[in-house]
Amino acid sequence: MFRLRGTSLLSWRAFPFRPFSCESLTTQMQNCTDEEQVFGLIEKNTATLSEQQVGCAFNVLWQFQKQKTMLEKNIEHVRNHPQFLTLCSVTTNHISAMSDDTLVDVLYSIKQFAVESHHPLIEALVTEAWRRLERFDTNVLSIFSTCLADQHLYLSPLMGEIADIVNRKLETIQDLRALSVLMVSISSLISPCLQERLVTRTELLFDTVDSSKVNISRRILLFLRNVKYSYYPLLERCNQVFITNESHLDLESISKILSLYQSLQFHSFEFVEVARRRLSEMTLPSDHLESFIRLFAALGPVATPEIKTQLKSTLLLLSEELSSQQALIVLGAMENMESRNSHLIKKIASVLHKHLDSYKSIELLKIIQALTFLQFQSKELFMKLRELLLSRLEVSVIPSEISVLVSALSMLPYPHLNETVVSRIEAVLPQCDFRELSDLAVCLMRWIQNDHVCLASTTGKQLDLLQKLDHWGHHRLQESTNLDLLWEGLKALKGEWLHESLIEESVAALQRFVDEIDYSNVAKIASFLSKTNYLSTLLLDRIASVVVQQIEKIHPFSVLAIILPFSILNYDPPQKDEFFGACVRCCNSYSGTLDPGTLVFLGFSLATREYFPEDLLKKLFNIEFLARLDSQLEILPSSLSTRIQFRLMELNRSVCLECPELQVPWFHDRFCQRQFNRDTGVMNRAQQQICKMLAEVLGGHQCVKPSVLSSYYHTVDFECILDKRKKPLPYESHSITPRKSLGIRWDSRAELRLPPEAESLSPQLHHWGSRVQSAGWLLASTSALLSCCQNLPGNRHTRFLSSGASWQRQQSCCSVSVHGMDPWVEQSYGHHGQGYLGKAYCSRGVGVHWCQDRGAWQQAGMVTGAAESSHLEPQDCYRIFGCKSLLFKHSSLKREICCEKAAFGNLGLSCYSGPLL
């Protein structure tokens, strides 16, 4: 009996009585309807809780929070509940007995309740997980990596071990959800090789994704943002997931996706339309400030005017309640909205003023940029900002932060470059990378240009500092050992520093690695050439060659960036037809996916190179497409919207002139007239000088008319009428429309006699009527050639005429232009067909000289016309100079030229021969 009693007592101690089985208690927890019921069960069973029951309790508590809205969540209340603290204490005793899944799930749930990372339970869980790391499966490993990321352990040795495991087991991973989580967590540690493997594996697994899993696509975007890799195939596929799952998009996901797209510089008009529709359907949660601020930031920049007004009115009522971060978010949104609501801006600025000390340096820079853009003025606020920035600059030793602080200081009103700023810049220059050097150079140039106190001593420390910046910039260029490293530096260069100090060295460095240009980086190199405006035929020919050979590997979203430098630099590669043809074929299959604005820019760029793909043009000049374009223009920034409208107008004009067989109508009369009326006003000083001198030459102001238009609205700066004897006629004696000149049309019925060296052309100007006998027109146009001033012989940067100037000369009228230092009048005729030779003439920066006998032509470039239409005699000719656009008498020209440098540009004289209306 005693033996039985002892056995019974021993069993009682070893296996204490539990009122419910493990399964029963777990089931009860899962059947609870709120946190208090769970906590009640924990209180009753504290002494008997097992590791499985502990894991179930944490999981149920977190599931309750996931089911609640932002307004209903009570994380802080749960975290501070006595039974939650008891649960954490009990869990510590069961860690070693937990399974891998339970261990990591408990760690994840505790982190969701914002428990501090230094809590003993979290430290114990992480230590145990590290010990088991190699045996974790992919799903458990991904959850554990998220827990480490939540503790900001991105660069820890533990995260490094996770990256190594992913690298070794990547080919066996089949779950894209787990892979996407791991990719985000280890993105700070991966090599370029592992990055490419991860992207390739993601593409292979993408078809296995449930189309409703928006979060997976969002994590892929986050990974691409973290590694700064705008990989278009993945971006496009993620974008399609978002568009086709509109009902799964909530306010939080839309806000994050828009932010990621902005960081990746990926533009999807379709997604913006979806986001705008979804956000507009949401009721304004003005009773919950955080949600309203998020809605304001996401919807404001793309909303209709009515909704924007409603958003601003609601925000005005809530402005006093904004926190420091909420005020910063609102300010950024107002900048994107281009808001000019001075009352609201003042309210937001007052909130910012109260919290200035709490902002990081980069946030202070954003505040100054936004307030400057919004044209806000407050001496008190800017003085406090200056004091705060200077105090931080004095103690900062980190190059990136010093660059940010200096940038912010340089943007403040009335900047002054003091000794503190100079000394801090000099101290960190050897440690700065290209981005920081470029930012510092831009700031220094801004200081020198705007600070009148500084102008008196620009030969002092400021210029010494510029020289040091140049030195370190050249040094960084020479350090590059391959194209990838070089590109990392070059993409950060900007502003005058690039164009004035590093342009030739940068292009030379690219030319050293020209053989490394392939389909993966061709768009980047093309974008750099577009930004620099530097003509490098070696690089452009390599770009064209890569495109022709590897076009199947190039994504259509990259084509515009590739074509752009050829358009801007007015250059045709040797494989012109194959190159442009490959680009157009690449885009044809994606024409429905590309944004309307992108297609307009693409068509315009091709047209400047005299390439008019019929399929693309028919799509562009289509009612449905133009309606989509109008919708996009409503949500774009005003500057970009205006630019797209002008490019569409210029493309419309070019197609009407070059491709009449397409029967595209000219539908920009009203737009052009509005722009002309808006731009027409008082002439500037240079134009007044030209008008005055032309009036003296021609016999009075009544013989000269400024600011006239051709039939397709090419602006002609000055116009006059000549009779049969080449004598000027006053405008009062003829019925001529004051706003618009007679239209110019081309006809090939007559031929002009050209010198034997020239290519035969047949541009004969066509009259609009036959009621008046034949007379002549003389058109003087400065705008067509002023952009050429930097391309004169002697300029070390470029040797070309910009495509815009060349295109205008090609389409509008004959042009008589003069440049260089020769005492001749250089004449060139342009015409709209494929035989236009003015491009070659301008690309060499030389022209045709008109000699005494009118028959002897000295060809310095390409002959493009004849001299019969000019009334100026060689012995008393006139010469037009650009830049300041001064007109000089030939007899005094030599004395004036001796005092001038090659900074003079060109001014074109255009002649029209035909009957008057």
Side-chain angles (χ1 to χ4, degrees):
M1 179 178 178
F2 287 107
R3 290 178 181 174
L4 290 173
R5 185 179 180 184
T7 304
S8 176
L9 291 172
L10 181 62
S11 301
W12 181 266
R13 293 190 186 99
F15 306 101
F17 172 76
R18 297 175 183 177
F20 300 96
S21 66
C22 292
E23 291 75 18
S24 300
L25 183 57
T26 300
T27 302
Q28 288 185 53
M29 289 182 181
Q30 292 173 344
N31 291 333
C32 290
T33 57
D34 57 36
E35 293 91 343
E36 293 302 327
Q37 292 183 8
V38 177
F39 287 141
L41 291 174
I42 293 172
E43 185 177 8
K44 293 177 183 178
N45 300 278
T46 300
T48 61
L49 288 173
S50 68
E51 61 273 9
Q52 291 89 350
Q53 293 165 346
V54 165
C56 179
F58 277 115
N59 182 60
V60 170
L61 289 172
W62 174 235
Q63 291 301 320
F64 284 143
Q65 296 299 316
K66 289 176 64 176
Q67 295 168 6
K68 295 179 181 179
T69 64
M70 290 291 296
L71 297 174
E72 297 171 340
K73 286 184 178 180
N74 56 343
I75 289 178
E76 186 175 356
H77 169 74
V78 174
R79 184 179 66 241
N80 295 329
H81 196 284
Q83 294 309 314
F84 185 86
L85 301 177
T86 300
L87 182 62
C88 290
S89 178
V90 172
T91 304
T92 306
N93 301 324
H94 295 288
I95 289 178
S96 59
M98 289 180 179
S99 66
D100 295 344
D101 289 345
T102 303
L103 177 74
V104 174
D105 286 342
V106 168
L107 176 60
Y108 179 81
S109 298
I110 293 175
K111 287 302 299 178
Q112 299 312 304
F113 286 102
V115 177
E116 295 292 338
S117 298
H118 54 73
H119 192 282
L121 176 58
I122 291 183
E123 291 180 347
L125 289 168
V126 171
T127 302
E128 179 65 20
W130 196 343
R131 188 177 65 82
R132 307 182 188 185
L133 196 61
E134 285 290 341
R135 75 187 199 195
F136 282 168
D137 62 30
T138 303
N139 184 57
V140 173
L141 189 65
S142 67
I143 298 174
F144 182 52
S145 71
T146 300
C147 298
L148 296 179
D150 289 341
Q151 301 177 61
H152 306 288
L153 298 176
Y154 299 102
L155 302 176
S156 65
L158 181 50
M159 192 69 84
E161 290 191 28
I162 294 176
D164 180 62
I165 293 172
V166 173
N167 184 41
R168 287 187 278 112
K169 299 181 178 180
L170 181 59
E171 302 306 322
T172 64
I173 297 177
Q174 300 296 327
D175 182 4
L176 184 56
R177 188 211 62 80
L179 179 60
S180 65
V181 173
L182 287 167
M183 288 164 61
V184 173
S185 299
I186 67 176
S187 57
S188 299
L189 296 171
I190 61 176
S191 65
C193 179
L194 179 55
Q195 173 184 311
E196 289 297 327
R197 292 180 60 217
L198 287 169
V199 170
T200 302
R201 188 64 182 171
T202 302
E203 283 191 282
L204 291 175
L205 295 176
F206 207 94
D207 292 334
T208 67
V209 179
D210 182 354
S211 61
S212 65
K213 300 298 183 182
V214 171
N215 286 339
I216 295 177
S217 295
R218 196 176 71 186
R219 280 192 292 269
I220 292 173
L221 291 185
L222 182 57
F223 167 75
L224 294 175
R225 194 277 307 271
N226 290 349
V227 298
K228 301 177 182 178
Y229 185 26
S230 295
Y231 185 65
Y232 287 129
L234 268 183
L235 286 173
E236 182 191 1
R237 299 179 78 172
C238 292
N239 189 61
Q240 286 303 312
V241 171
F242 301 142
I243 293 172
T244 55
N245 293 277
E246 178 180 343
S247 59
H248 292 79
L249 298 175
D250 57 12
L251 175 58
E252 181 181 3
S253 60
I254 290 174
S255 300
K256 290 182 178 179
I257 292 168
L258 289 173
S259 176
L260 291 170
Y261 277 173
Q262 184 176 9
S263 300
L264 290 165
Q265 296 183 340
F266 178 75
H267 309 287
S268 171
F269 173 58
E270 285 183 288
F271 177 75
V272 171
E273 281 189 315
V274 169
R276 178 168 63 170
R277 184 165 55 250
R278 286 284 294 163
L279 293 172
S280 300
E281 294 169 355
M282 298 178 185
T283 56
L284 297 179
S286 56
D287 55 333
H288 190 262
L289 187 57
E290 183 178 349
S291 297
F292 175 77
I293 296 303
R294 185 173 293 175
L295 179 64
F296 182 89
L299 179 58
V302 298
T304 60
E306 296 78 12
I307 294 180
K308 284 184 179 180
T309 302
Q310 184 181 1
L311 288 170
K312 292 176 185 177
S313 300
T314 306
L315 181 61
L316 198 57
L317 299 175
L318 302 172
S319 58
E320 299 294 339
E321 305 173 26
L322 295 177
S323 66
S324 59
Q325 287 302 310
Q326 289 170 346
L328 186 62
I329 293 172
V330 169
L331 184 67
M334 293 179 66
E335 181 183 12
N336 292 334
M337 295 165 65
E338 301 180 347
S339 175
R340 290 295 182 265
N341 188 325
S342 58
H343 187 42
L344 181 57
I345 296 172
K346 187 175 181 180
K347 285 274 190 179
I348 302 302
S350 65
V351 178
L352 296 169
H353 198 167
K354 290 188 295 185
H355 299 285
L356 279 183
D357 293 332
S358 66
Y359 290 116
K360 301 175 183 178
S361 298
I362 187 64
E363 292 173 336
L364 292 177
L365 174 60
K366 292 179 180 178
I367 289 172
I368 294 174
Q369 289 173 333
L371 292 177
T372 302
F373 177 81
L374 296 173
Q375 300 177 357
F376 176 76
Q377 298 294 328
S378 172
K379 184 176 181 181
E380 182 182 0
L381 175 59
F382 289 142
M383 288 299 295
K384 184 174 180 180
L385 277 168
R386 186 188 304 280
E387 294 172 2
L388 184 59
L389 293 169
L390 286 173
S391 64
R392 293 188 182 184
L393 185 62
E394 290 175 355
V395 298
S396 179
V397 294
I398 303 174
S400 58
E401 184 179 17
I402 290 176
S403 171
V404 168
L405 292 169
V406 172
S407 298
L409 280 168
S410 70
M411 296 186 68
L412 290 173
Y414 310 109
H416 177 60
L417 188 63
N418 57 27
E419 293 293 330
T420 301
V421 178
V422 174
S423 62
R424 298 308 299 151
I425 294 176
E426 288 180 333
V428 299
L429 278 183
Q431 308 168 46
C432 291
D433 59 19
F434 261 122
R435 181 177 300 278
E436 291 150 4
L437 288 173
S438 181
D439 289 341
L440 291 172
V442 169
C443 297
L444 190 57
M445 296 296 293
R446 187 183 297 134
W447 256 310
I448 292 176
Q449 292 172 3
N450 297 335
D451 189 354
H452 299 289
V453 177
C454 177
L455 287 177
S457 57
T458 50
T459 55
K461 285 193 172 183
Q462 292 78 15
L463 293 183
D464 291 339
L465 193 54
L466 276 177
Q467 292 177 354
K468 292 178 181 179
L469 282 166
D470 290 349
H471 166 75
W472 287 108
H474 294 143
H475 182 68
R476 295 285 180 268
L477 282 174
Q478 295 168 3
E479 287 181 335
S480 303
T481 56
N482 59 58
L483 186 58
D484 291 335
L485 290 176
L486 177 63
W487 170 249
E488 285 302 313
L490 292 183
K491 68 181 181 181
L493 296 180
K494 59 186 177 182
E496 296 181 14
W497 189 52
L498 167 63
H499 290 279
E500 297 299 331
S501 300
L502 297 179
I503 180 64
E504 292 186 348
E505 291 79 2
S506 300
V507 173
L510 285 173
Q511 290 174 343
R512 289 202 308 270
F513 304 114
V514 66
D515 293 334
E516 297 182 32
I517 299 177
D518 58 18
Y519 73 93
S520 65
N521 53 35
V522 65
K524 300 176 183 177
I525 306 304
S527 298
F528 179 77
L529 293 178
S530 300
K531 180 173 69 173
T532 59
N533 207 29
Y534 190 101
L535 179 61
S536 170
T537 57
L538 176 63
L539 292 175
L540 290 175
D541 289 346
R542 172 64 180 180
I543 290 171
S545 175
V546 168
V547 169
V548 171
Q549 297 172 11
Q550 305 179 26
I551 188 62
E552 69 281 353
K553 299 180 181 180
I554 297 174
H555 197 274
F557 288 177
S558 301
V559 169
L560 176 60
I562 293 171
I563 291 177
L564 203 56
F566 295 89
S567 172
I568 293 175
L569 301 174
N570 199 25
Y571 179 74
D572 288 333
Q575 302 169 287
K576 173 185 174 181
D577 292 336
E578 295 88 345
F579 169 64
F580 290 122
C583 290
V584 171
R585 287 193 300 273
C586 180
C587 290
N588 277 341
S589 59
Y590 270 76
S591 58
T593 306
L594 293 170
D595 281 352
T598 301
L599 284 174
V600 171
F601 285 131
L602 181 63
F604 172 81
S605 299
L606 290 170
T608 60
R609 305 313 316 128
E610 301 179 29
Y611 202 88
F612 299 90
E614 184 174 346
D615 291 342
L616 178 62
L617 293 176
K618 286 183 177 179
K619 179 173 183 60
L620 285 172
F621 297 105
N622 176 278
I623 297 297
E624 289 77 11
F625 173 83
L626 295 175
R628 289 187 65 227
L629 179 62
D630 285 339
S631 299
Q632 185 183 25
L633 294 178
E634 292 177 0
I635 63 177
L636 290 176
S638 59
S639 57
L640 180 57
S641 176
T642 302
R643 188 176 169 215
I644 291 176
Q645 292 180 67
F646 269 103
R647 289 294 181 251
L648 180 63
M649 180 274 292
E650 292 174 304
L651 180 59
N652 184 200
R653 174 169 57 198
S654 180
V655 171
C656 289
L657 289 169
E658 307 282 355
C659 308
E661 68 278 4
L662 296 181
Q663 297 182 350
V664 172
W666 167 250
F667 55 89
H668 279 88
D669 265 312
R670 187 179 303 174
F671 172 80
C672 291
Q673 192 62 51
R674 283 200 309 267
Q675 296 299 323
F676 180 76
N677 292 336
R678 183 184 307 165
D679 297 339
T680 301
V682 179
M683 292 184 292
N684 60 37
R685 175 178 291 185
Q687 291 172 327
Q688 291 174 4
Q689 285 181 300
I690 296 172
C691 188
K692 180 180 178 181
M693 287 183 281
L694 284 174
E696 293 175 357
V697 172
L698 299 172
H701 288 284
Q702 69 275 13
C703 297
V704 181
K705 183 168 64 171
S707 300
V708 293
L709 299 176
S710 70
S711 58
Y712 285 106
Y713 291 88
H714 282 115
T715 302
V716 178
D717 296 295
F718 303 99
E719 181 185 72
C720 67
I721 309 170
L722 304 179
D723 63 12
K724 294 180 180 180
R725 298 183 300 276
K726 310 297 183 183
K727 300 297 182 182
L729 297 176
Y731 272 84
E732 287 78 357
S733 61
H734 300 278
S735 300
I736 298 176
T737 305
R739 278 293 182 190
K740 188 173 178 181
S741 71
L742 296 180
I744 296 173
R745 290 288 189 267
W746 296 104
D747 190 356
S748 57
R749 290 175 296 179
E751 293 187 0
L752 293 175
R753 298 187 54 165
L754 297 176
E757 299 89 353
E759 181 177 330
S760 177
L761 297 177
S762 58
Q764 177 64 30
L765 289 167
H766 182 280
H767 64 81
W768 278 56
S770 58
R771 291 173 293 176
V772 183
Q773 294 298 320
S774 177
W777 288 77
L778 177 65
L779 307 174
S781 175
T782 57
S783 59
L785 295 173
L786 276 177
S787 61
C788 191
C789 62
Q790 65 173 344
N791 307 322
L792 289 174
N795 187 306
R796 62 188 177 93
H797 290 177
T798 48
R799 299 287 186 274
F800 63 92
L801 179 66
S802 67
S803 61
S806 174
W807 210 28
Q808 180 171 342
R809 290 183 56 186
Q810 175 180 348
Q811 294 176 3
S812 62
C813 51
C814 309
S815 178
V816 179
S817 61
V818 178
H819 61 77
M821 313 307 277
D822 305 303
W824 309 99
V825 173
E826 301 163 343
Q827 286 199 308
S828 63
Y829 276 84
H831 95 91
H832 72 295
Q834 296 295 326
Y836 173 61
L837 303 180
K839 300 193 305 289
Y841 152 72
C842 295
S843 65
R844 293 191 174 98
V846 292
V848 180
H849 305 305
W850 179 26
C851 295
Q852 175 73 30
D853 61 0
R854 298 195 183 190
W857 292 78
Q858 298 176 348
Q859 175 149 356
M862 297 295 292
V863 179
T864 57
E868 275 67 22
S869 61
S870 175
H871 74 291
L872 300 176
E873 296 296 328
Q875 62 270 20
D876 192 26
C877 64
Y878 290 86
R879 186 158 199 169
I880 309 295
F881 272 81
C883 226
K884 297 300 181 182
S885 302
L886 301 179
L887 181 66
F888 295 100
K889 191 91 170 185
H890 177 56
S891 57
S892 61
L893 183 59
K894 293 182 179 179
R895 293 194 307 272
E896 299 290 342
I897 290 177
C898 292
C899 302
E900 300 292 336
K901 298 295 184 181
F904 285 114
N906 293 330
L907 180 117
L909 287 176
S910 304
C911 300
Y912 171 73
S913 297
L916 295 173
L917 283 176

